[in-house]
Amino acid sequence: MVVSLALPRIMRVGGGAVDELSNVLAGLGAARPLLVTDSYLAGTGAAQRLLDRLGRAGMEAAMFAGTVPDPTTDSLEAGVRAAIDHRADSVIGFGGGSPMDTAKALALLAVQGGEMRDYKAPRNNTGPALPVIAVPTTAGSGSEATQFTVITDSASDEKMLCTGPAFLPVAAVVDYELTVSMPARLTADTGVDALTHAVEAFVSRKANSFSDGLALSAISTIGRHIRRVYADGGDLEAREAMMFAATQAGMAFSNSSVALVHGMSRPIGAHFHVAHGLSNAMLFPAVTAFSVPGAEVRYAECARAFGAAGSGDSDAAAAAKLVEALAVLCKDVDVPTPQSFGIDRSRWQELTPLMAEQALASGSPGNNPVIPTVEEIEELYAAIYS
């Protein structure tokens, strides 16, 4: 079987890698980057320090700090104007998944125009687009290495998955030192997000031998380090391991796919403004239990890589231990239920049919080991509420 693979052309990985950003840009022939970030990183001065560093290297850089959590089509409008007005020749996504997703969308819209809904799946977007250089500051989304972006349609609240090589960063600068200041809640949510990426990439119907190796390595690394980094954000060894694992998981699912957890997670984020990694975590144990019958051997391999099962466990026992281990992990890192998060039960029930339809329409559930019906998705939403 021939597998089509897509990876960033340039990667700088390690402590201090962000110091090489200007060299990466110069190597790409870029001189007028637009730095896309959020108000938090602008407020801390981190974005300005990066801008100043680019200026000292002779770059004419500008900043757009209007990224919002779970970026929307409305939030892109000012960014597109900023890219065009600056005559940007490249876009730097600096931050977590939302700034990187925003940067990818702006890079395409600044060249092609139109509305983001024109580019949603199942359309495969090949370009043209401005080159994107991704600089992650969280260890979770893996967006620095993926050919996906997720944008919420402001008119319909649909969280749109947009795919294709047009969204793949040309370069990724992965510096774990940028994650050291993350609070425990964000550390947990992004860590479980990365674990979800790796597990879903491995059990996906689109899995392949290339993505398998990356996924299993990420699962093993996260299993050994996620509780450590949640307990002690200053544990640099654990921070470094989690950052690398998140990038590996991103490469894995970008060249395989995500599945039902992500399909169901996006509508929760769109309608109830739950952070993406947290909504994944809310779903992860129950959706895994539902999916195990379709890929018991694969889930067993995940369990052994995670450290939840040993070589002496049967596949059935190992897969069951994975479900249990995920539930324990979510308890250990204080993942709330939708109810304890504060979501109103009647509103949850009211929106469940729409969320189920949107989840199925995203295409991700079609990659799941067990392909669910709309009714089964609704049942899963009901099961995880409390």
Short mmCIF file of all heavy atoms in Angstrom, two decimals, residues 47-100:
data_model
loop_
_atom_site.label_atom_id
_atom_site.label_comp_id
_atom_site.label_asym_id
_atom_site.label_seq_id
_atom_site.Cartn_x
_atom_site.Cartn_y
_atom_site.Cartn_z
N ALA A 47 5.13 37.91 22.94
CA ALA A 47 4.99 38.15 21.50
C ALA A 47 5.85 39.34 21.07
O ALA A 47 6.50 39.30 20.01
CB ALA A 47 3.53 38.38 21.16
N GLN A 48 5.87 40.41 21.89
CA GLN A 48 6.68 41.58 21.53
C GLN A 48 8.16 41.25 21.53
O GLN A 48 8.92 41.72 20.67
CB GLN A 48 6.40 42.73 22.49
CG GLN A 48 7.07 44.04 22.09
CD GLN A 48 6.63 44.54 20.73
OE1 GLN A 48 5.44 44.65 20.45
NE2 GLN A 48 7.60 44.85 19.87
N ARG A 49 8.59 40.42 22.48
CA ARG A 49 10.00 40.02 22.50
C ARG A 49 10.37 39.27 21.23
O ARG A 49 11.46 39.45 20.68
CB ARG A 49 10.29 39.16 23.74
CG ARG A 49 10.30 39.96 25.04
CD ARG A 49 10.87 39.16 26.19
NE ARG A 49 10.03 38.04 26.58
CZ ARG A 49 9.02 38.13 27.44
NH1 ARG A 49 8.72 39.30 27.99
NH2 ARG A 49 8.32 37.06 27.77
N LEU A 50 9.45 38.42 20.76
CA LEU A 50 9.70 37.70 19.51
C LEU A 50 9.74 38.68 18.35
O LEU A 50 10.60 38.58 17.46
CB LEU A 50 8.60 36.66 19.31
CG LEU A 50 8.89 35.51 18.35
CD1 LEU A 50 10.15 34.75 18.74
CD2 LEU A 50 7.70 34.56 18.28
N LEU A 51 8.84 39.65 18.35
CA LEU A 51 8.80 40.66 17.30
C LEU A 51 10.09 41.47 17.29
O LEU A 51 10.67 41.74 16.21
CB LEU A 51 7.60 41.58 17.53
CG LEU A 51 6.91 42.21 16.33
CD1 LEU A 51 6.35 41.14 15.40
CD2 LEU A 51 5.79 43.14 16.79
N ASP A 52 10.56 41.85 18.48
CA ASP A 52 11.80 42.63 18.57
C ASP A 52 12.98 41.82 18.05
O ASP A 52 13.87 42.36 17.37
CB ASP A 52 12.06 43.04 20.02
CG ASP A 52 11.04 44.04 20.55
OD1 ASP A 52 10.32 44.65 19.73
OD2 ASP A 52 10.95 44.18 21.80
N ARG A 53 13.00 40.53 18.35
CA ARG A 53 14.08 39.67 17.88
C ARG A 53 14.10 39.61 16.36
O ARG A 53 15.16 39.65 15.73
CB ARG A 53 13.89 38.27 18.49
CG ARG A 53 15.03 37.31 18.24
CD ARG A 53 14.74 35.98 18.94
NE ARG A 53 14.66 36.13 20.38
CZ ARG A 53 14.04 35.29 21.18
NH1 ARG A 53 13.42 34.23 20.69
NH2 ARG A 53 14.03 35.48 22.48
N LEU A 54 12.92 39.53 15.77
CA LEU A 54 12.84 39.51 14.31
C LEU A 54 13.31 40.85 13.73
O LEU A 54 13.97 40.89 12.69
CB LEU A 54 11.41 39.21 13.86
CG LEU A 54 10.88 37.82 14.22
CD1 LEU A 54 9.40 37.70 13.86
CD2 LEU A 54 11.67 36.73 13.52
N GLY A 55 12.94 41.94 14.40
CA GLY A 55 13.36 43.26 13.94
C GLY A 55 14.87 43.40 13.95
O GLY A 55 15.46 43.95 13.01
N ARG A 56 15.51 42.90 15.01
CA ARG A 56 16.97 42.98 15.09
C ARG A 56 17.64 42.15 14.00
O ARG A 56 18.78 42.43 13.61
CB ARG A 56 17.45 42.51 16.47
CG ARG A 56 17.10 43.47 17.60
CD ARG A 56 17.86 43.12 18.87
NE ARG A 56 17.47 41.83 19.43
CZ ARG A 56 16.46 41.66 20.28
NH1 ARG A 56 15.73 42.71 20.66
NH2 ARG A 56 16.19 40.46 20.75
N ALA A 57 16.93 41.17 13.49
CA ALA A 57 17.47 40.34 12.40
C ALA A 57 17.17 40.94 11.03
O ALA A 57 17.48 40.32 10.01
CB ALA A 57 16.88 38.94 12.49
N GLY A 58 16.57 42.13 11.02
CA GLY A 58 16.31 42.81 9.75
C GLY A 58 14.95 42.51 9.13
O GLY A 58 14.69 42.90 8.00
N MET A 59 14.09 41.83 9.89
CA MET A 59 12.76 41.51 9.38
C MET A 59 11.80 42.69 9.63
O MET A 59 11.88 43.35 10.67
CB MET A 59 12.19 40.27 10.09
CG MET A 59 13.07 39.05 10.02
SD MET A 59 12.88 38.20 8.46
CE MET A 59 14.18 36.96 8.58
N GLU A 60 10.92 42.93 8.69
CA GLU A 60 9.84 43.91 8.88
C GLU A 60 8.59 43.14 9.30
O GLU A 60 7.75 42.79 8.47
CB GLU A 60 9.61 44.70 7.59
CG GLU A 60 10.78 45.57 7.19
CD GLU A 60 10.46 46.41 5.96
OE1 GLU A 60 9.51 47.22 6.03
OE2 GLU A 60 11.15 46.23 4.94
N ALA A 61 8.51 42.87 10.58
CA ALA A 61 7.43 42.04 11.11
C ALA A 61 6.32 42.89 11.71
O ALA A 61 6.56 43.96 12.24
CB ALA A 61 7.99 41.08 12.17
N ALA A 62 5.10 42.38 11.61
CA ALA A 62 3.93 43.00 12.23
C ALA A 62 3.24 41.95 13.09
O ALA A 62 3.46 40.75 12.92
CB ALA A 62 2.99 43.56 11.19
N MET A 63 2.39 42.42 14.01
CA MET A 63 1.72 41.49 14.90
C MET A 63 0.20 41.62 14.80
O MET A 63 -0.33 42.73 14.75
CB MET A 63 2.15 41.72 16.35
CG MET A 63 1.46 40.79 17.35
SD MET A 63 2.25 40.74 18.99
CE MET A 63 2.16 42.45 19.50
N PHE A 64 -0.47 40.47 14.78
CA PHE A 64 -1.93 40.40 14.94
C PHE A 64 -2.19 39.58 16.18
O PHE A 64 -1.88 38.39 16.23
CB PHE A 64 -2.58 39.75 13.72
CG PHE A 64 -4.05 39.48 13.91
CD1 PHE A 64 -4.96 40.53 13.97
CD2 PHE A 64 -4.53 38.19 14.05
CE1 PHE A 64 -6.32 40.30 14.16
CE2 PHE A 64 -5.88 37.93 14.24
CZ PHE A 64 -6.78 38.99 14.31
N ALA A 65 -2.76 40.22 17.21
CA ALA A 65 -2.99 39.55 18.49
C ALA A 65 -4.47 39.32 18.75
O ALA A 65 -4.88 39.17 19.90
CB ALA A 65 -2.37 40.36 19.62
N GLY A 66 -5.26 39.27 17.68
CA GLY A 66 -6.70 39.14 17.82
C GLY A 66 -7.22 37.72 17.78
O GLY A 66 -8.42 37.51 17.61
N THR A 67 -6.34 36.73 17.95
CA THR A 67 -6.79 35.35 18.00
C THR A 67 -7.67 35.14 19.23
O THR A 67 -7.38 35.66 20.31
CB THR A 67 -5.59 34.40 18.07
OG1 THR A 67 -4.87 34.47 16.84
CG2 THR A 67 -6.03 32.96 18.28
N VAL A 68 -8.74 34.37 19.07
CA VAL A 68 -9.62 34.03 20.19
C VAL A 68 -9.59 32.52 20.40
O VAL A 68 -9.27 31.76 19.49
CB VAL A 68 -11.07 34.49 19.93
CG1 VAL A 68 -11.12 36.00 19.75
CG2 VAL A 68 -11.66 33.79 18.71
N PRO A 69 -9.91 32.05 21.62
CA PRO A 69 -10.01 30.60 21.83
C PRO A 69 -11.06 30.02 20.89
O PRO A 69 -12.12 30.62 20.68
CB PRO A 69 -10.45 30.49 23.30
CG PRO A 69 -10.00 31.77 23.93
CD PRO A 69 -10.13 32.81 22.86
N ASP A 70 -10.77 28.87 20.30
CA ASP A 70 -11.66 28.27 19.31
C ASP A 70 -12.01 29.30 18.25
O ASP A 70 -13.14 29.81 18.19
CB ASP A 70 -12.93 27.72 19.97
CG ASP A 70 -12.65 26.57 20.91
OD1 ASP A 70 -11.82 25.71 20.56
OD2 ASP A 70 -13.24 26.54 22.01
N PRO A 71 -11.04 29.68 17.40
CA PRO A 71 -11.22 30.79 16.46
C PRO A 71 -12.47 30.65 15.61
O PRO A 71 -12.87 29.55 15.22
CB PRO A 71 -9.95 30.76 15.62
CG PRO A 71 -9.32 29.43 15.88
CD PRO A 71 -9.75 29.02 17.24
N THR A 72 -13.07 31.80 15.34
CA THR A 72 -14.32 31.88 14.58
C THR A 72 -14.09 32.58 13.26
O THR A 72 -13.08 33.27 13.07
CB THR A 72 -15.39 32.65 15.36
OG1 THR A 72 -14.94 34.02 15.51
CG2 THR A 72 -15.61 32.04 16.74
N THR A 73 -15.04 32.43 12.36
CA THR A 73 -14.93 33.12 11.07
C THR A 73 -14.92 34.63 11.28
O THR A 73 -14.21 35.35 10.58
CB THR A 73 -16.08 32.71 10.15
OG1 THR A 73 -17.33 32.84 10.83
CG2 THR A 73 -15.92 31.27 9.69
N ASP A 74 -15.69 35.12 12.25
CA ASP A 74 -15.68 36.57 12.52
C ASP A 74 -14.31 37.03 13.00
O ASP A 74 -13.85 38.12 12.62
CB ASP A 74 -16.73 36.92 13.59
CG ASP A 74 -18.15 36.93 13.06
OD1 ASP A 74 -18.32 36.82 11.82
OD2 ASP A 74 -19.08 37.04 13.87
N SER A 75 -13.64 36.21 13.81
CA SER A 75 -12.34 36.61 14.36
C SER A 75 -11.25 36.65 13.29
O SER A 75 -10.19 37.27 13.51
CB SER A 75 -11.93 35.67 15.48
OG SER A 75 -11.49 34.40 15.00
N LEU A 76 -11.49 36.02 12.15
CA LEU A 76 -10.48 36.00 11.09
C LEU A 76 -10.46 37.29 10.27
O LEU A 76 -9.44 37.61 9.64
CB LEU A 76 -10.73 34.83 10.13
CG LEU A 76 -10.66 33.42 10.72
CD1 LEU A 76 -10.97 32.39 9.63
CD2 LEU A 76 -9.28 33.14 11.32
N GLU A 77 -11.56 38.02 10.28
CA GLU A 77 -11.68 39.16 9.36
C GLU A 77 -10.58 40.20 9.57
O GLU A 77 -9.94 40.64 8.61
CB GLU A 77 -13.06 39.79 9.50
CG GLU A 77 -14.19 38.87 9.03
CD GLU A 77 -15.57 39.47 9.25
OE1 GLU A 77 -15.64 40.64 9.72
OE2 GLU A 77 -16.57 38.79 8.95
N ALA A 78 -10.36 40.59 10.81
CA ALA A 78 -9.32 41.58 11.09
C ALA A 78 -7.94 41.03 10.77
O ALA A 78 -7.04 41.78 10.34
CB ALA A 78 -9.39 42.02 12.55
N GLY A 79 -7.73 39.75 10.97
CA GLY A 79 -6.45 39.14 10.68
C GLY A 79 -6.14 39.13 9.19
O GLY A 79 -4.99 39.35 8.78
N VAL A 80 -7.15 38.85 8.38
CA VAL A 80 -6.94 38.89 6.93
C VAL A 80 -6.56 40.30 6.50
O VAL A 80 -5.63 40.49 5.69
CB VAL A 80 -8.21 38.41 6.19
CG1 VAL A 80 -8.05 38.60 4.69
CG2 VAL A 80 -8.49 36.94 6.50
N ARG A 81 -7.25 41.29 7.04
CA ARG A 81 -6.92 42.70 6.71
C ARG A 81 -5.49 43.01 7.14
O ARG A 81 -4.74 43.68 6.41
CB ARG A 81 -7.89 43.66 7.38
CG ARG A 81 -9.29 43.66 6.78
CD ARG A 81 -10.08 44.88 7.22
NE ARG A 81 -10.24 44.94 8.67
CZ ARG A 81 -11.23 44.37 9.33
NH1 ARG A 81 -12.15 43.68 8.66
NH2 ARG A 81 -11.31 44.47 10.64
N ALA A 82 -5.09 42.52 8.33
CA ALA A 82 -3.74 42.78 8.81
C ALA A 82 -2.70 42.17 7.88
O ALA A 82 -1.67 42.80 7.59
CB ALA A 82 -3.57 42.23 10.23
N ALA A 83 -2.93 40.95 7.42
CA ALA A 83 -1.98 40.30 6.51
C ALA A 83 -1.86 41.04 5.20
O ALA A 83 -0.76 41.26 4.67
CB ALA A 83 -2.41 38.86 6.28
N ILE A 84 -3.00 41.47 4.66
CA ILE A 84 -3.01 42.17 3.38
C ILE A 84 -2.38 43.55 3.52
O ILE A 84 -1.55 43.97 2.71
CB ILE A 84 -4.44 42.25 2.82
CG1 ILE A 84 -4.93 40.84 2.45
CG2 ILE A 84 -4.51 43.17 1.61
CD1 ILE A 84 -6.40 40.77 2.09
N ASP A 85 -2.78 44.29 4.58
CA ASP A 85 -2.24 45.64 4.78
C ASP A 85 -0.73 45.62 5.00
O ASP A 85 -0.02 46.54 4.58
CB ASP A 85 -2.92 46.31 5.98
CG ASP A 85 -4.39 46.64 5.72
OD1 ASP A 85 -4.81 46.58 4.54
OD2 ASP A 85 -5.11 46.95 6.69
N HIS A 86 -0.24 44.59 5.68
CA HIS A 86 1.20 44.49 5.94
C HIS A 86 1.97 43.99 4.73
O HIS A 86 3.19 44.05 4.71
CB HIS A 86 1.43 43.55 7.13
CG HIS A 86 2.87 43.39 7.52
ND1 HIS A 86 3.68 44.45 7.86
CD2 HIS A 86 3.66 42.27 7.61
CE1 HIS A 86 4.90 44.00 8.14
NE2 HIS A 86 4.91 42.68 7.99
N ARG A 87 1.25 43.51 3.73
CA ARG A 87 1.88 42.85 2.57
C ARG A 87 2.76 41.69 3.06
O ARG A 87 3.92 41.53 2.65
CB ARG A 87 2.69 43.84 1.74
CG ARG A 87 1.83 44.88 1.03
CD ARG A 87 2.62 45.87 0.22
NE ARG A 87 3.31 46.83 1.09
CZ ARG A 87 4.62 46.92 1.21
NH1 ARG A 87 5.42 46.11 0.50
NH2 ARG A 87 5.18 47.81 2.01
N ALA A 88 2.17 40.90 3.93
CA ALA A 88 2.90 39.79 4.54
C ALA A 88 3.34 38.77 3.49
O ALA A 88 2.57 38.43 2.58
CB ALA A 88 2.04 39.11 5.60
N ASP A 89 4.57 38.28 3.65
CA ASP A 89 5.06 37.21 2.76
C ASP A 89 5.11 35.87 3.50
O ASP A 89 5.53 34.87 2.92
CB ASP A 89 6.42 37.57 2.16
CG ASP A 89 7.51 37.80 3.21
OD1 ASP A 89 7.27 37.53 4.41
OD2 ASP A 89 8.61 38.28 2.83
N SER A 90 4.70 35.88 4.76
CA SER A 90 4.69 34.66 5.57
C SER A 90 3.86 34.94 6.81
O SER A 90 3.59 36.10 7.16
CB SER A 90 6.12 34.25 5.96
OG SER A 90 6.79 35.33 6.59
N VAL A 91 3.46 33.88 7.49
CA VAL A 91 2.65 34.00 8.71
C VAL A 91 3.27 33.11 9.78
O VAL A 91 3.54 31.93 9.54
CB VAL A 91 1.19 33.59 8.45
CG1 VAL A 91 0.37 33.73 9.73
CG2 VAL A 91 0.58 34.42 7.33
N ILE A 92 3.48 33.68 10.97
CA ILE A 92 4.00 32.92 12.10
C ILE A 92 2.84 32.67 13.07
O ILE A 92 2.21 33.62 13.54
CB ILE A 92 5.11 33.69 12.84
CG1 ILE A 92 6.27 34.01 11.89
CG2 ILE A 92 5.61 32.89 14.05
CD1 ILE A 92 7.26 35.03 12.46
N GLY A 93 2.55 31.42 13.36
CA GLY A 93 1.56 31.09 14.38
C GLY A 93 2.27 30.87 15.70
O GLY A 93 3.02 29.91 15.85
N PHE A 94 2.06 31.78 16.67
CA PHE A 94 2.78 31.75 17.94
C PHE A 94 1.78 31.58 19.08
O PHE A 94 1.01 32.50 19.38
CB PHE A 94 3.57 33.05 18.11
CG PHE A 94 4.35 33.16 19.41
CD1 PHE A 94 5.30 32.21 19.74
CD2 PHE A 94 4.13 34.22 20.27
CE1 PHE A 94 6.02 32.32 20.93
CE2 PHE A 94 4.85 34.34 21.45
CZ PHE A 94 5.79 33.38 21.79
N GLY A 95 1.76 30.40 19.69
CA GLY A 95 0.81 30.15 20.77
C GLY A 95 0.37 28.71 20.81
O GLY A 95 1.07 27.81 20.32
N GLY A 96 -0.82 28.48 21.35
CA GLY A 96 -1.41 27.16 21.37
C GLY A 96 -2.11 26.85 20.07
O GLY A 96 -1.87 27.48 19.03
N GLY A 97 -3.04 25.90 20.13
CA GLY A 97 -3.71 25.48 18.91
C GLY A 97 -4.49 26.59 18.24
O GLY A 97 -4.53 26.68 17.00
N SER A 98 -5.10 27.49 19.00
CA SER A 98 -5.93 28.54 18.40
C SER A 98 -5.12 29.53 17.57
O SER A 98 -5.50 29.83 16.44
CB SER A 98 -6.73 29.26 19.49
OG SER A 98 -7.70 28.39 20.06
N PRO A 99 -4.00 30.09 18.07
CA PRO A 99 -3.19 30.95 17.21
C PRO A 99 -2.63 30.23 15.99
O PRO A 99 -2.57 30.82 14.90
CB PRO A 99 -2.07 31.42 18.15
CG PRO A 99 -2.68 31.37 19.50
CD PRO A 99 -3.55 30.15 19.48
N MET A 100 -2.23 28.97 16.17
CA MET A 100 -1.69 28.26 15.01
C MET A 100 -2.78 27.98 13.99
O MET A 100 -2.57 28.12 12.77
CB MET A 100 -0.98 26.98 15.45
CG MET A 100 0.35 27.24 16.15
SD MET A 100 1.34 25.75 16.45
CE MET A 100 0.45 25.02 17.82
#
